[in-house]
Amino acid sequence: MWRDHLTEIIVFTFLFLLVSAMGFVAARWRAPKDMAHLDEWGLGGRSFGGWITWFLVGGDLYTAYTFVAVPALMFGAGAAGFFAVPYTIVIYPLVFLVLVRLWSVSHRHGFVTPADFVRNRFDSPVLALLIAITGIVATMPYIALQLVGIEAVLKTMGVTGDNALARHLPIIIAFAILAAYTYQSGLRAPALIAFVKDSLIYIVILVAIVYLPYKLGGWGDIFAAADAKFDASPSPNDGILLNGNNQLQYVTLAFGSALALFLYPHSITGVLASKNRDVIKRNMSALPAYSLLLGLIALLGYMAIAAGVKPLPGASAGSVDNNTVVPLLFDQQFPDWFAGVAYAAIGIGALVPAAIMSIAAANLFTRNIYKEYLKRDASPAQEANVSKITSLVVKVGAVACIVFLDPQFSIDLQLIGGVIILQTLPAVALGLYTRWFHRTGLIVGWVVGMGLGMWMLYQVASPTRKHFGGSAFPLSEFGFDTTKTIYVGIVAVAVNLAVAALVTLALRAAKVEEGVDGTEPDDYFADEGDPRVTPGTERDADSAREPVA
């Protein structure tokens, strides 16, 4: 079967090897001072300007999974899949308000992770540990999902075998190459590759959005075909328009996803690599261009319906893999050479975010677990070395998720990941504006919010799974007489905030020690060139403190 796709395979392989070579060359790009330091390896020297940051953050957020899964959701569920478009628009004003302050305080104190900030702000290594573990756990399935995107392309090209090793060998090789150049070049590798990745995606989508409607009879025929399919569907929630049953889920999922997006460690890593506040401000103004692109990507799902695309079989008996609809659409409608370019865009689109995610998770482990609890006197070189090794372990874990778990389970894990990372909002996002919350109140709120979120997710069923079948929680479980559902993450974080506030009031009334704030008001407005905190002072991020909770 692969011989029928030889041209596509050659083009895909050539572009993949090209960006891999760029990944290795990136170690010498922009003349790093010393790669044996987390500032250089993990944050690119904190020196990225406007264009680099725009491509890096955009490449970080718009992944291979976005390229295949959003159209797949449109193909299978209709208008509900459009939730990804408003949430990527809503997020930018919120980020403009929050992450500019995080950049400033991190620049002043040398913070590498959001947990570094929480440790310093609330004087609590326990709270920082919870933030770090939350970030690592939420990131792991996100990395695995990048492999789902590559696997969909490889399956379409016939580059899979009958046994487990043959089926996953191309992915293992791809991630081995990714691991090698990330280990060597750090964040500079995905930053450099992002230029190629995003350029390819823009070219492919702009060509597709013009050529495919022309070939399929126009937008009227495309929407009519989608409408006819959903009219024949037994599900009451399908359709090219939202109905009363799924509107609340749509709104809460969009808003909750917006709140979660820039709490992910890899999103924060891309922002902290910027050289000054103005770079972040300009990017938050320009990044909505990616949301326009995302809307066009989503419409590929309706085009696949109009083109009569039939998804390839899924991993389990009798199932289908909707993630293959976009690769199949390109395979059927475009010349082989252009389909190869499109496949490369998806494949490279997996490498950039996977690299940033593994670096972000490794930085969390190094700064907030290894240095805090295992070796407090670790040198910068030791930190960088541990982070490099941890990034390799993270990638191995992501590959293991794909090899040993049903890919559909990995997708469900990603839905769980959004609920998990939302529980860091009170400490990280609100903590940038206020220290009103007591550190113990934030810990208790995190525990309650996380517990409630997991319980709610456990109650959600799907056609193929009794538990953890999605993130749409039926309100009837709370005693409401309705068939509507709501996004689990919104409920869980609201309860988290309420509990944190109540416990804070109780602890403040009891005059319980709140710890020392290691930041000052002007830290949140510091810019490039402002002096860093001098090591050894009371405001130093790495100064020794009593390990109070």
Side-chain angles (χ1 to χ4, degrees), residues 455-488:
W455 175 82
M456 293 174 68
L457 289 167
Y458 182 80
Q459 304 302 315
V460 177
S462 73
T464 58
R465 188 170 293 108
K466 187 176 181 181
H467 303 291
F468 295 106
S471 61
F473 186 80
L475 288 176
S476 58
E477 293 286 337
F478 285 144
F480 293 99
D481 184 18
T482 180
T483 58
K484 294 181 179 180
T485 59
I486 190 170
Y487 177 52
V488 170

Side-chain angles (χ1 to χ4, degrees), residues 170-316:
I171 290 180
I172 294 173
I173 294 173
F175 256 56
I177 296 172
L178 169 67
Y181 67 65
T182 303
Y183 183 92
Q184 174 179 312
S185 305
L187 192 66
R188 283 175 169 80
L192 185 58
I193 294 171
F195 283 94
V196 178
K197 173 253 187 187
D198 290 356
S199 298
L200 286 176
I201 288 181
Y202 267 101
I203 291 170
V204 169
I205 295 305
L206 292 177
V207 170
I209 210 68
V210 173
Y211 177 73
L212 290 179
Y214 167 77
K215 192 170 183 182
L216 297 173
W219 287 108
D221 287 352
I222 290 172
F223 281 100
D227 195 27
K229 176 194 172 183
F230 295 124
D231 280 346
S233 170
S235 172
N237 294 325
D238 292 340
I240 62 172
L241 296 176
L242 294 174
N243 57 52
N245 287 330
N246 56 20
Q247 288 174 1
L248 178 63
Q249 168 67 14
Y250 182 94
V251 171
T252 54
L253 178 58
F255 185 62
S257 298
L259 294 177
L261 185 61
F262 269 93
L263 290 171
Y264 276 104
H266 56 276
S267 302
I268 292 175
T269 295
V271 170
L272 293 186
S274 305
K275 68 178 181 179
N276 57 43
R277 289 166 59 95
D278 284 344
V279 167
I280 301 171
K281 293 176 181 178
R282 289 196 301 269
N283 271 276
M284 291 309 109
S285 300
L287 278 169
Y290 277 97
S291 298
L292 172 63
L293 185 69
L294 179 59
L296 301 178
I297 290 173
L299 290 173
L300 293 174
Y302 286 172
M303 294 181 199
I305 295 174
V309 171
K310 303 296 182 185
L312 293 175
S316 55

Side-chain angles (χ1 to χ4, degrees), residues 296-346:
L296 301 178
I297 290 173
L299 290 173
L300 293 174
Y302 286 172
M303 294 181 199
I305 295 174
V309 171
K310 303 296 182 185
L312 293 175
S316 55
S319 66
V320 295
D321 184 2
N322 280 350
N323 289 321
T324 60
V325 296
V326 168
L328 287 170
L329 175 67
F330 290 150
D331 180 57
Q332 294 175 12
Q333 302 295 324
F334 283 117
D336 289 349
W337 69 269
F338 191 81
V341 172
Y343 294 162
I346 298 173

